[in-house]
Amino acid sequence: MTISRYAAPLILMLALFYANEIYAQKDSKNGENPRRIINIVNFIRLLEPRDPAITKDVLYQTVVKQIDLMKKYNVSGTFLLQYDALIDPRYQSLLKSLPKDQFEIGAWWELPQPLIEKDGIKWRGQYAWDWHSDVGFSVGYTPAEREKIIQVYFNDFKKIFGYYPKSVASWVIDAHSLGYMYDNYKIVASANCKDQVGTDGFTLWGGYWNQAYYPSRINSYMPAQHAENQLPVPVFRMLGSDPVRQYADGSSVTTLEPVYTHAGGNEQWINWFFDIFSNDPVLGFQYTQAGQENSFTWAAMEKGLEMQMPIIARLKSEGKVQVETMEQSGLWFRKTYKLTPATTFAATKDVGTGNKKTLWYNSRFYRANLLWENDHLSIDDIHLFNESIPDKYLKSVTNVNKSFFYTLPVVDGFQWKEPDRAAGFRLMETNDGNEQEISGGEPEFSNRGGNTANVFWPCNNGNFNIKLQENKLIITTGNRNTENWFLKLYVGSSANTAFNKVESMKATYQFDGHIYYLKVKQGKMEADTSGGLYRIKPHQGAIVLDLKDIPPL
């Protein structure tokens, strides 16, 4: 059989096309061409009772300005309506006029007086919108009350816009409410607050860091391990957290929010954040949320947004990021992932003259943070996930201006910290009977397959390789003494940790009434008598940590 001179070039072109397709798919699977998603989310309140200068008109004009800026730069986004704004004719007219291919309208799940009273519940707030956890959020109402409140909001939303909202977000949403919204109204996406301790009365700590996850049916903050027990609504983490400082200063706010002049309103920080977001290695996909609630007013957010929007538009035009509505991101997530994926968020460089580098790793079983500072490595965060642990508000309510969502801490660098340094497993070595931290050079991050993040760290007298996999963490050495190094868990002298005891192959923890374990598959644990809680020694040059709290079904 012979090939004509016309057919040969066509066959070659097809071969090259399919080869490129296979290579591109391979790169994407290996995390080399990941999807990097930006959701611009602005949520809308009708009034701001904390400041008499912030009138209804000031709040309305803030939304008008946000829309104008997004149209100017041709970027998509989502506006989420609190109920009092939902039933306001001005907002209805404004938002109905927006092009549907650019803007999404959804629900912001704070509960103001008109919504509560329409449901027949007595209003307990000091103002018509009260920001306290026990009044303005679902965790302050019984499960039966939550269902009625949801019915009122969703039915009124449909009367106004002709459809049910697909995206619902709030600082906190309990699992019962989220499940009811999905089961009855088929919401597509949700979002909750960044990790923080105590800010505005909300504590969310130890969860899937940034990115998005499928929550347990009984715990909206806890990623599920199995499809049978998960709610198929991806929960995105809000506000664009600084991967170093937002954790280290867990009670403060260092985020992409444009009103904060040290972060989202600071040109140097903004450039750094979008640089690492769009260029640093990523496993799975990358995510951040931009935007701001109208309560802060246009005067406070204008400068920051005017700096951020052209950068977002440029990255979009260069094909480096996808700027989407929450609904679009939720649909993509559900199409792409049947279970919560493994993802990373890396910072290979610090802002300004800082010298910190970090890698966050998440899976459906755990999260971990590796932090490099002053040539030293610390694993300053490990939290385990267990879908069988209900959130505190599944069946009960909060009666105070606080709400708490936790996972299971193994290492808590912020809450167990020393006065001048985060708590964590430090990589140590013994030389001539003396212990010291291992020093090294620049870590190199890469990804392999669908769920493994790799770190190569060149050090004095050899190097280390760290693999973070879906349910374990592996540390091995090259070109050095294989047995003179170890991990040592340092915490503050007055830290109230969850650690209970250590045995040769496991450490026992107890937190919030739950007993759980950190186990070693390779290596050995022992108590520490020189300033640490315990240490983990290698076996045959490796330490392998088992990081799943529950056995597979």
Side-chain angles (χ1 to χ4, degrees):
M1 178 179 176
T2 60
I3 300 174
S4 75
R5 57 175 177 163
Y6 301 105
L10 178 60
I11 292 172
L12 178 60
M13 290 175 60
L14 288 172
L16 289 172
F17 172 79
Y18 285 114
N20 288 334
E21 282 293 295
I22 292 169
Y23 184 73
Q25 292 170 13
K26 179 181 178 182
D27 282 355
S28 181
K29 183 179 180 182
N30 289 342
E32 295 167 18
N33 290 316
R35 192 175 186 86
R36 300 174 193 255
I37 300 170
I38 298 176
N39 286 163
I40 301 172
V41 180
N42 302 300
F43 53 92
I44 302 172
R45 300 185 180 113
L46 179 69
L47 47 85
E48 175 48 80
R50 293 171 291 187
D51 186 345
I54 303 177
T55 64
K56 291 182 181 180
D57 192 59
V58 167
L59 295 173
Y60 176 81
Q61 292 302 326
T62 296
V63 178
V64 171
K65 294 291 188 180
Q66 289 173 329
I67 292 170
D68 289 344
L69 189 63
M70 294 169 72
K71 285 183 175 179
K72 175 182 176 180
Y73 288 101
N74 191 30
V75 290
S76 299
T78 298
F79 283 90
L80 302 177
L81 285 162
Q82 192 168 281
Y83 183 79
D84 51 6
L86 170 69
I87 60 176
D88 182 79
R90 278 208 302 179
Y91 283 112
Q92 293 174 14
S93 177
L94 175 67
L95 298 177
K96 283 181 179 179
S97 71
L98 298 181
K100 290 183 173 55
D101 60 345
Q102 184 178 359
F103 295 99
E104 175 195 10
I105 313 302
W108 179 250
W109 208 243
E110 291 180 5
L111 313 179
Q113 185 174 1
L115 176 59
I116 298 304
E117 291 184 338
K118 186 167 184 178
D119 190 42
I121 302 171
K122 183 179 179 181
W123 178 243
R124 294 177 277 110
Q126 185 177 358
Y127 308 100
W129 167 61
D130 193 315
W131 54 93
H132 295 93
S133 293
D134 55 330
V135 175
F137 294 84
S138 63
V139 294
Y141 298 86
T142 67
E145 289 173 331
R146 295 170 207 169
E147 292 181 7
K148 290 201 236 177
I149 293 168
I150 291 167
Q151 291 169 14
V152 169
Y153 184 101
F154 275 68
N155 288 334
D156 284 357
F157 189 101
K158 187 175 183 180
K159 289 177 184 176
I160 294 164
F161 289 103
Y163 56 90
Y164 294 125
K166 298 299 183 183
S167 299
V168 182
S170 183
W171 302 134
V172 294
I173 305 179
D174 66 283
H176 185 88
S177 294
L178 207 57
Y180 191 83
M181 291 175 187
Y182 171 75
D183 292 337
N184 293 275
Y185 302 101
K186 300 307 176 188
I187 64 171
V188 168
S190 186
N192 61 15
C193 188
K194 63 175 172 42
D195 262 32
Q196 61 182 35
V197 176
T199 306
D200 296 328
F202 307 115
T203 292
L204 303 91
W205 197 251
Y208 196 98
W209 196 87
N210 204 59
Q211 320 298 66
Y213 64 96
Y214 288 125
S216 163
R217 270 276 183 179
I218 61 172
N219 192 327
S220 60
Y221 186 63
M222 185 79 74
Q225 287 74 57
H226 303 96
E228 302 92 313
N229 299 320
Q230 75 184 13
L231 186 67
V233 176
V235 177
F236 294 88
R237 304 307 305 274
M238 295 182 69
L239 303 180
S241 293
D242 184 314
V244 175
R245 278 153 286 274
Q246 180 55 48
Y247 181 80
D249 305 325
S251 298
S252 65
V253 181
T254 308
T255 69
L256 197 56
E257 294 173 90
V259 297
Y260 294 106
T261 55
H262 65 288
N266 180 282
E267 185 175 10
Q268 183 183 53
W269 188 94
I270 292 168
N271 287 328
W272 166 78
F273 182 85
F274 282 117
D275 181 22
I276 63 170
F277 181 84
S278 59
N279 291 309
D280 278 0
V282 170
L283 178 68
F285 74 100
Q286 184 77 297
Y287 177 80
T288 197
Q289 178 252 314
Q292 190 81 68
E293 67 262 45
N294 63 339
S295 295
F296 277 104
T297 78
W298 183 248
M301 70 182 73
E302 177 183 8
K303 182 179 177 181
L305 287 180
E306 289 281 8
M307 287 188 287
Q308 291 181 24
M309 286 299 160
I311 297 175
I312 293 172
R314 173 178 57 80
L315 292 173
K316 173 190 169 186
S317 68
E318 293 172 353
K320 289 188 173 182
V321 303
Q322 288 73 43
V323 184
E324 302 175 338
T325 66
M326 280 185 63
E327 179 187 7
Q328 289 170 334
S329 298
L331 290 171
W332 170 83
F333 191 97
R334 284 168 54 172
K335 181 180 178 180
T336 306
Y337 301 113
K338 302 305 180 188
L339 294 165
T340 294
T343 65
T344 59
F345 196 118
T348 59
K349 61 184 77 67
D350 204 350
V351 62
T353 59
N355 67 356
K356 296 180 181 180
K357 300 170 183 63
T358 196
L359 177 70
W360 282 96
Y361 179 91
N362 303 284
S363 77
R364 58 196 167 112
F365 293 102
Y366 74 101
R367 82 174 192 186
N369 181 235
L370 279 59
L371 178 68
W372 285 264
E373 183 178 9
N374 299 325
D375 302 325
H376 297 143
L377 166 64
S378 176
I379 304 173
D380 68 346
D381 187 276
I382 300 176
H383 279 75
L384 303 181
F385 304 147
N386 188 327
E387 64 193 9
S388 66
I389 296 175
D391 69 44
K392 292 177 178 292
Y393 314 104
L394 184 66
K395 296 181 180 179
S396 61
V397 303
T398 181
N399 296 308
V400 295
N401 179 29
K402 293 180 181 179
S403 57
F404 302 92
F405 290 83
Y406 293 113
T407 61
L408 302 176
V410 171
V411 181
D412 192 328
F414 172 66
Q415 298 202 91
W416 302 353
K417 66 184 176 182
E418 301 174 84
D420 58 347
R421 188 173 178 184
F425 279 117
R426 298 180 194 168
L427 195 56
M428 311 286 292
E429 64 183 349
T430 303
N431 285 320
D432 298 325
N434 297 316
E435 294 181 2
Q436 63 186 28
E437 285 192 69
I438 295 172
S439 297
E442 299 291 324
E444 299 175 13
F445 304 148
S446 60
N447 304 308
R448 291 289 182 272
N451 61 22
T452 300
N454 291 298
V455 180
F456 173 77
W457 188 37
C459 297
N460 300 336
N461 303 317
N463 55 61
F464 283 88
N465 292 283
I466 304 171
K467 289 186 178 181
L468 298 108
Q469 298 182 339
E470 193 176 36
N471 57 16
K472 58 180 176 287
L473 187 154
I474 304 166
I475 305 176
T476 57
T477 62
N479 305 319
R480 65 178 294 126
N481 185 325
T482 59
E483 303 298 332
N484 77 330
W485 61 277
F486 56 95
L487 292 173
K488 185 171 181 175
L489 180 53
Y490 283 91
V491 301
S493 58
S494 60
N496 182 23
T497 76
F499 172 70
N500 187 293
K501 64 179 180 179
V502 66
E503 301 168 67
S504 63
M505 299 299 288
K506 71 178 181 181
T508 302
Y509 289 79
Q510 185 168 354
F511 177 78
D512 209 23
H514 305 287
I515 296 174
Y516 52 101
Y517 308 95
L518 173 65
K519 300 176 183 178
V520 291
K521 298 173 76 71
Q522 186 172 335
K524 181 182 178 181
M525 292 180 171
E526 60 182 35
D528 186 86
T529 58
S530 58
L533 280 186
Y534 62 91
R535 61 180 62 193
I536 306 174
K537 292 183 175 181
H539 175 63
Q540 296 180 345
I543 290 175
V544 181
L545 302 181
D546 183 350
L547 293 175
K548 60 180 184 297
D549 184 52
I550 61 172
L553 291 177

